[in-house]
Amino acid sequence: NAGVTQTPKFQVLKTGQSMTLQCAQDMNHNSMYWYRQDPGMGLRLIYYSASEGTTDKGEVPNGYNVSRLNKREFSLRLESAAPSQTSVYFCASSEYPPQHFGDGTRLSIL
Amino acid sequence: EDQVTQSPEALRLQEGESSSLNCSYTVSGLRGLFWYRQDPGKGPEFLFTLYSAGEEKEKERLKATLTKKESFLHITAPKPEDSATYLCAVQASDAGNKLTFGGGTRVLVKP
């Protein structure tokens, strides 16, 4: 059972570079989410998509953009990476809570 | 603004030493409270959902309880494999399917 698949698992970028994080789910869920996890800060919602064709800002959207490509796929883009965006990024999906998570992308910005 | 606070931040237990983790919350109206387990290098894994005060859920050595202001995750006679970070999250009545997470409690169980 694949569930939620995130690619890549690790990435190192230089300040100012761009990057797209990919997420795909095979559970036929309508809602998808992007979070970042920093030490001591818990999971913070960046963007979410309640259904195909809709996206909304979460708690910390600045510096990010998203695309809901279809019902399965939800991507997160960093247009000009900054060191403050060094974090672990998690994608999740749900039809209704609870949300189901991927294993994350560990992103370092130098 | 919805808030979730977990305590303690970290907990070191001897194998067999029972303990409790706390999750206190402030939310306009609670639709559900969720407990997750997160292992190093992995995403959170769902454990329990609680919907109303007085409700309890159990799974192996874990038992979750809910009051109007907080939830507890009790770990009975823990084993080293219970070592993980435990996350609490709430769903507010006006937040759709969005969750607000606490900072987590890191649990280390030593043999």
Side-chain angles (χ1 to χ4, degrees), chain A residues 2-70:
Chain A
V4 178
T5 303
Q6 293 185 235
T7 55
K9 295 188 185 305
F10 303 93
Q11 186 69 48
V12 178
L13 294 178
K14 294 181 179 179
T15 298
Q17 287 186 316
S18 61
M19 170 84 188
T20 298
L21 280 59
Q22 306 287 353
C23 174
Q25 53 96 3
D26 63 1
M27 294 173 282
N28 202 36
H29 289 159
N30 276 304
S31 300
M32 298 186 73
Y33 314 82
W34 276 105
Y35 293 88
R36 60 178 290 173
Q37 187 174 40
D38 302 293
M41 300 289 289
L43 286 159
R44 291 183 293 169
L45 184 65
I46 305 171
Y47 270 93
Y48 67 101
S49 171
S51 60
E52 186 178 355
T54 68
T55 60
D56 285 289
K57 295 178 180 179
E59 181 185 354
V60 288
N62 291 345
Y64 305 95
N65 285 300
V66 291
S67 296
R68 184 74 184 265
L69 305 171
N70 49 55

Side-chain angles (χ1 to χ4, degrees), chain A residues 42-101:
Chain A
L43 286 159
R44 291 183 293 169
L45 184 65
I46 305 171
Y47 270 93
Y48 67 101
S49 171
S51 60
E52 186 178 355
T54 68
T55 60
D56 285 289
K57 295 178 180 179
E59 181 185 354
V60 288
N62 291 345
Y64 305 95
N65 285 300
V66 291
S67 296
R68 184 74 184 265
L69 305 171
N70 49 55
K71 191 172 185 178
R72 290 187 63 248
E73 297 172 290
F74 190 37
S75 63
L76 178 72
R77 182 162 178 84
L78 288 71
E79 289 291 353
S80 179
S84 60
Q85 294 178 305
T86 292
S87 187
V88 182
Y89 291 86
F90 288 99
C91 177
S93 72
S94 72
E95 191 58 30
Y96 44 83
Q99 296 171 8
H100 302 269
F101 287 81

Side-chain angles (χ1 to χ4, degrees), chain B residues 10-106:
Chain B
L11 191 60
R12 294 167 63 101
L13 301 172
Q14 287 296 129
E15 185 172 1
E17 178 188 2
S18 301
S19 189
S20 295
L21 283 55
N22 178 265
C23 171
S24 61
Y25 61 90
T26 304
V27 66
S28 53
L30 182 70
R31 286 184 65 185
L33 185 140
F34 305 86
W35 282 99
Y36 286 83
R37 169 191 172 122
Q38 185 176 22
D39 293 303
K42 297 292 187 180
E45 177 185 352
F46 169 69
L47 291 172
F48 304 112
T49 306
L50 300 167
Y51 293 105
S52 57
E55 189 174 1
E56 299 181 350
K57 293 277 180 71
E58 282 189 73
K59 180 179 180 179
E60 296 181 354
R61 294 175 294 283
L62 300 177
K63 179 180 178 180
T65 62
L66 181 64
T67 73
K68 288 186 177 180
K69 293 295 183 185
E70 56 192 352
S71 177
F72 294 93
L73 185 65
H74 308 277
I75 310 178
T76 301
K79 297 182 177 181
E81 53 261 44
D82 295 320
S83 297
T85 296
Y86 292 87
L87 300 172
C88 170
V90 297
Q91 179 191 15
S93 56
D94 60 353
N97 286 339
K98 292 186 292 181
L99 301 181
T100 299
F101 282 83
T105 295
R106 296 187 312 278

